[in-house]
Amino acid sequence: MSAGSPNLMPQLGHGRAVVIVDDDLCYAESLADILAAKGYEVAAVGTADAAIQALRGRDGENEAVALIDVRLGVASSGVDLLSRLGEDSSDPICVMMTAEMDTQTAIAALRRGAYDYFDKLCEPSALLAVLDRCFEKVQLRRERRAAHEALRAAKEEAEAANRAKSEFLATMNHELRTPLNAIIGFSEMMLQEVMGKLDNDHYRSYVADIHASGTHLLEIIQDILELAKAEAGKLELREDVFDLRAVVRSVGGMMGSLWQDAGVAATFDLPETLPLLQADERKTRQVLFNLIGNAVKFTPRGGHIGVSARFDAETGLTVTVADDGIGIAAQDLDRVLKPFERVDNSLSRRHYGTGLGLPLVKAIMELHGGTVRLQSELGLGTTVIAAFPPERTVMRHAADLSMTAA
């Protein structure tokens, strides 16, 4: 190399690139020749500004190591250059060079981002060892960036697939619901003998099965579509202020035949002092239907479920559904809150279901800014606590005053 000017900047390629920053051009030239003979791609500059220009914009696959002299003329220093490079997006790996490296300068350089240092009075082989360490770090950076990029690409691919799935399910709403509504409607008319008697008992039994199966399938499709909307961020709340006690009692009345047929007792504990709730009433009913339905489904005949509500100024308004059924193992508590996950044991396999109930409850509660917690033990039962945040409660006297003013 020839050092006829303070900047010697050949185009650096994608090999082991080194930028020497030193205002002593004779030393820079001899060091560049040594490194070039060892296969390094070398550029030499004599000023801080030229160094920043040489290092800026080099991506992870074309990263250079900077060898920086601690003194760069009268008006600048290598330590100051470290600070400037730290502010730059290139963030190169830097090695300080000096013939008189005192402790304070070394500490200052390391604090400002120097990776290592090299004594100019040492043999060049010592610098080669330093550079080996530097390029090991470069390789680790590249591998970390590659892993991060692979994770980012996988995340984007998964999100795109999830969006496509959700959009597909949303578009299937009409196509699935229309024929099912016809099946349910016509089978109900046949059961009610609207167009004439259904004399054959076998046919009546078949029609009842068709009606029950169609209704169950429609409920599953509705849950899938609701969950798909939640995952796509399209599930919306239609908020109103209502009495949670009335909603719980209404759901309990509609589900009474369910636990009576299952041979399960049910009790309700709803204090008169509960505040009103500002939420989506229909979705709140959906939460209660799913929680109570699950409790009945997994509680054996002769068992008991309890539904209660409590208010706390810090935790908010909570609805608790507890049963003394089959329970859930500790390692499965997180799984049952994920879509299509079911606990795989001999007891749970006796019951039909898609595993969408609790995930849908979780999605609805989170949409309200609330939470769902599970407490369970195998053979002893399960307790599910759905909590609405305090800001969603409305004190009854405040609601009464508002209605009076209106």
Side-chain angles (χ1 to χ4, degrees), residues 200-391:
N200 190 306
D201 289 339
H202 289 293
Y203 284 166
R204 174 174 286 278
S205 175
Y206 297 158
V207 172
D209 288 342
I210 291 170
H211 184 270
S213 298
T215 302
H216 176 58
L217 184 56
L218 186 61
E219 290 171 354
I220 291 174
I221 290 170
Q222 185 61 37
D223 283 350
I224 292 174
L225 291 172
E226 289 284 300
L227 197 58
K229 286 182 182 178
E231 291 179 345
K234 295 179 179 178
L235 195 62
E236 297 178 352
L237 296 179
R238 295 182 179 179
E239 298 188 23
D240 199 357
V241 177
F242 58 90
D243 189 342
L244 181 64
R245 296 175 306 167
V247 173
V248 175
R249 291 185 186 120
S250 172
V251 172
M254 286 186 280
M255 300 190 74
S257 60
L258 178 67
W259 63 68
Q260 289 168 10
D261 292 344
V264 174
T267 57
F268 292 81
D269 181 10
L270 306 170
E272 295 293 324
T273 55
L274 284 182
L276 301 177
L277 181 63
Q278 181 177 343
D280 187 314
E281 185 174 346
R282 187 185 71 81
K283 287 182 172 59
T284 302
R285 287 178 182 272
Q286 198 170 4
V287 166
L288 292 167
F289 272 114
N290 280 329
L291 293 183
I292 295 174
N294 264 3
V296 173
K297 185 189 299 183
F298 294 107
T299 300
R301 186 170 290 276
H304 172 264
I305 65 170
V307 182
S308 61
R310 293 290 183 272
F311 172 69
D312 182 270
E314 291 187 3
T315 58
L317 186 56
T318 60
V319 178
T320 302
V321 179
D323 65 64
D324 53 10
I326 63 177
I328 305 169
Q331 66 269 22
D332 293 323
L333 287 175
D334 290 335
R335 283 182 53 205
V336 297
L337 289 171
K338 297 177 181 178
F340 305 104
E341 291 279 355
R342 299 192 67 208
V343 179
D344 188 21
N345 61 47
S346 59
L347 290 172
S348 66
R349 281 196 295 268
R350 298 175 193 170
H351 305 280
Y352 63 83
T354 59
L356 290 177
L358 285 175
L360 187 55
V361 167
K362 181 173 181 286
I364 291 173
M365 292 306 299
E366 289 178 349
L367 194 62
H368 283 90
T371 58
V372 177
R373 290 187 293 117
L374 269 69
Q375 300 169 356
S376 188
E377 192 171 342
L378 278 177
L380 297 180
T382 301
T383 298
V384 184
I385 304 165
F388 292 92
E391 56 269 22

Side-chain angles (χ1 to χ4, degrees), residues 76-281:
S76 182
S77 74
V79 175
D80 293 335
L81 176 57
L82 284 174
S83 298
R84 294 177 63 185
L85 289 172
E87 297 170 358
D88 192 81
S89 59
S90 56
D91 189 25
I93 296 173
C94 300
V95 176
M96 296 302 297
M97 302 188 300
T98 182
E100 302 171 356
M101 178 68 86
D102 61 273
T103 304
Q104 297 240 346
T105 303
I107 292 173
L110 292 172
R111 282 180 175 172
R112 299 197 190 186
Y115 179 67
D116 210 332
Y117 69 90
F118 169 65
D119 189 340
K120 288 183 174 182
L121 299 179
C122 292
E123 290 293 323
S125 58
L127 175 59
L128 298 178
V130 170
L131 288 175
D132 283 342
R133 292 196 295 272
C134 290
F135 281 102
E136 285 175 6
K137 183 174 176 66
V138 168
Q139 183 59 31
L140 286 173
R141 279 187 175 185
R142 288 173 180 166
E143 291 172 358
R144 187 167 62 245
R145 275 191 291 264
H148 177 76
E149 179 61 26
L151 285 173
R152 185 191 62 77
K155 177 175 177 290
E156 289 180 354
E157 184 177 349
E159 288 174 346
N162 193 52
R163 284 194 299 272
K165 177 205 70 176
S166 299
E167 289 170 3
F168 169 76
L169 290 172
T171 59
M172 291 298 291
N173 187 13
H174 176 75
E175 285 75 6
L176 292 173
R177 290 169 64 92
T178 299
L180 272 174
N181 284 331
I183 292 170
I184 294 168
F186 287 132
S187 60
E188 189 170 347
M189 288 177 64
M190 294 172 72
L191 286 173
Q192 294 175 359
E193 298 181 330
V194 174
M195 304 298 293
K197 281 192 169 295
L198 195 63
D199 295 327
N200 190 306
D201 289 339
H202 289 293
Y203 284 166
R204 174 174 286 278
S205 175
Y206 297 158
V207 172
D209 288 342
I210 291 170
H211 184 270
S213 298
T215 302
H216 176 58
L217 184 56
L218 186 61
E219 290 171 354
I220 291 174
I221 290 170
Q222 185 61 37
D223 283 350
I224 292 174
L225 291 172
E226 289 284 300
L227 197 58
K229 286 182 182 178
E231 291 179 345
K234 295 179 179 178
L235 195 62
E236 297 178 352
L237 296 179
R238 295 182 179 179
E239 298 188 23
D240 199 357
V241 177
F242 58 90
D243 189 342
L244 181 64
R245 296 175 306 167
V247 173
V248 175
R249 291 185 186 120
S250 172
V251 172
M254 286 186 280
M255 300 190 74
S257 60
L258 178 67
W259 63 68
Q260 289 168 10
D261 292 344
V264 174
T267 57
F268 292 81
D269 181 10
L270 306 170
E272 295 293 324
T273 55
L274 284 182
L276 301 177
L277 181 63
Q278 181 177 343
D280 187 314
E281 185 174 346

Side-chain angles (χ1 to χ4, degrees), residues 4-75:
S5 68
N7 296 321
L8 294 171
M9 296 177 58
Q11 184 65 37
L12 295 180
H14 292 269
R16 286 189 157 198
V18 177
V19 175
I20 302 172
V21 188
D22 197 324
D23 60 344
D24 183 349
L25 296 178
C26 291
Y27 178 80
E29 178 183 5
S30 59
L31 185 59
D33 287 340
I34 293 171
L35 295 180
K38 295 293 184 180
Y40 291 91
E41 298 177 358
V42 188
V45 296
T47 65
D49 290 339
I52 291 173
Q53 182 182 352
L55 293 165
R56 179 172 291 152
R58 301 183 65 82
D59 58 29
E61 294 302 315
N62 193 21
E63 191 169 354
V65 172
L67 303 179
I68 303 174
D69 189 20
V70 74
R71 291 185 177 83
L72 294 175
V74 178

